[in-house]
Amino acid sequence: MKANQTAPQLDPARIPAHVAIIMDGNGRWAKKRLLPRIAGHKQGMEVVKTITKAASRLGVKVLTLYAFSTENWKRPSGEVNYLMKLPVDFFSTFVPELIAENVQVKVMGELDALPAHTRKAATDAIADTAANTGMILNFALNYGSRDELVSAVQQISQEVAAKKLAPEAIDEATIAAHLMTAELGPLADPDLLIRTSGEERLSNFLLWQLAYSELVFSQTLWPDFTPATLQAAIAEYQSRDRRFGGLTK
Ligand code: FPP
């Protein structure tokens, strides 16, 4: 997908229900402007606001955003601290708009390992938007797919050891029910994954859930991502022929 096209026409009947985004390129955006990397993350946070509203208005049901991975702790402490403060800034300014848009916040990841102020910002936003019935804005925060799968295997093993579950009764639904996306129910698996900035890899994101997702790689750096770029990605999704391993008609 090329950078920043004008918004194409979309088929309103085939808007992807669950869109997941790997928001990449904040550092390069800042570097191009001779700014510190955190300036890219700050602009990236503003883009999250714009894209949340755009996705909600297009009829997306779940928007999952990869905000911090279990591997991102390897970054310099100044950058990690800034990234941990971003949810505080984001929710302190944006929750009223989320409520006005009827958007419900969810957060998935190893939340116990987050600093207290980050965890509180997340849990407050979840509580403040719990009554909303529109799009789910689902942040992956200290999330890693392998970590998620390890936890699922541990939980299932404990149920087997306690004789609550027979090994031969374990099926795909059992595994899905123990993943962090379980509460999204039938919407747990993304229909469309977008990764920005030209990188083409999954980086430990939703490895189970992306089994049949359409992948769209955009050249646009996340801080330059606009509602038109989102629409272009959805147009590309709508041009694909999803067969789920079967045949078309
Ligand atoms: C990847 O770009 C981006 C991140 C690791 C952080 C993503 C966070 C945001 C977009 C801010 C929004 C967060 C909230 C909670 C609203 P990079 O730093 O790896 O960029 P680079 O590959 O160009 O260095």
Side-chain angles (χ1 to χ4, degrees):
M1 205 184 112
K2 301 214 185 67
N4 285 330
Q5 297 135 322
T6 47
Q9 283 294 352
L10 296 178
D11 176 354
R14 288 190 300 127
I15 298 295
H18 183 170
V19 176
I21 308 184
I22 302 178
M23 309 179 288
D24 200 5
N26 294 351
R28 277 163 283 166
W29 182 91
K31 194 173 175 197
K32 277 205 311 194
R33 287 161 179 77
L34 306 177
L35 295 170
R37 292 177 55 81
I38 59 170
H41 296 316
K42 184 169 193 297
Q43 184 57 27
M45 179 187 79
E46 295 304 325
V47 171
V48 170
K49 296 179 183 174
T50 315
I51 295 304
T52 297
K53 284 192 265 188
S56 164
R57 290 170 191 185
L58 282 169
V60 170
K61 305 272 182 250
V62 179
L63 178 66
T64 296
L65 301 177
Y66 206 5
F68 193 89
S69 79
T70 47
E71 286 71 40
N72 285 150
W73 297 105
K74 295 177 196 156
R75 295 187 177 208
S77 61
E79 183 171 345
V80 169
N81 291 343
Y82 189 81
L83 287 168
M84 287 297 138
K85 205 171 79 60
L86 270 183
V88 181
D89 296 348
F90 178 80
F91 290 124
S92 67
T93 54
F94 197 49
V95 162
E97 281 181 74
L98 290 173
I99 292 170
E101 289 282 332
N102 196 23
V103 169
Q104 192 187 350
V105 173
K106 288 190 189 289
V107 181
M108 61 177 190
E110 295 295 343
L111 304 189
D112 291 347
L114 294 173
H117 62 284
T118 314
R119 198 169 51 245
K120 183 172 185 323
T123 49
D124 285 353
I126 293 167
D128 292 345
T129 62
N132 294 347
T133 55
M135 188 182 82
I136 293 170
L137 174 60
N138 181 35
F139 281 103
L141 201 53
N142 197 22
Y143 171 87
S145 191
R146 288 183 172 183
D147 170 79
E148 176 189 39
L149 287 162
V150 167
S151 296
V153 171
Q154 287 177 349
Q155 290 165 31
I156 293 168
S157 307
Q158 281 158 3
E159 289 171 32
V160 169
K163 304 236 182 302
K164 289 183 190 150
L165 183 64
E168 57 278 13
I170 297 170
D171 58 11
E172 292 188 10
T174 315
I175 294 172
H178 289 82
L179 299 178
M180 292 172 179
T181 44
E183 60 178 305
L184 299 171
L187 297 178
D189 296 346
D191 300 290
L192 167 63
L193 171 82
I194 302 168
R195 183 169 188 151
T196 61
S197 88
E199 305 291 349
E200 300 191 358
R201 57 179 171 269
L202 296 180
S203 299
N204 201 15
F205 192 45
L206 299 173
L207 300 179
W208 170 278
Q209 297 88 336
L210 291 172
Y212 283 104
S213 307
E214 295 298 327
L215 312 183
V216 170
F217 299 104
S218 166
Q219 294 301 318
T220 305
L221 303 175
W222 177 251
D224 290 328
F225 203 82
T226 65
T229 337
L230 175 66
Q231 288 185 40
I234 294 177
E236 184 157 341
Y237 165 85
Q238 293 190 341
S239 76
R240 304 266 178 94
D241 176 21
R242 297 188 82 191
R243 293 191 294 275
F244 298 94
L247 301 175
T248 312
K249 282 166 218 123

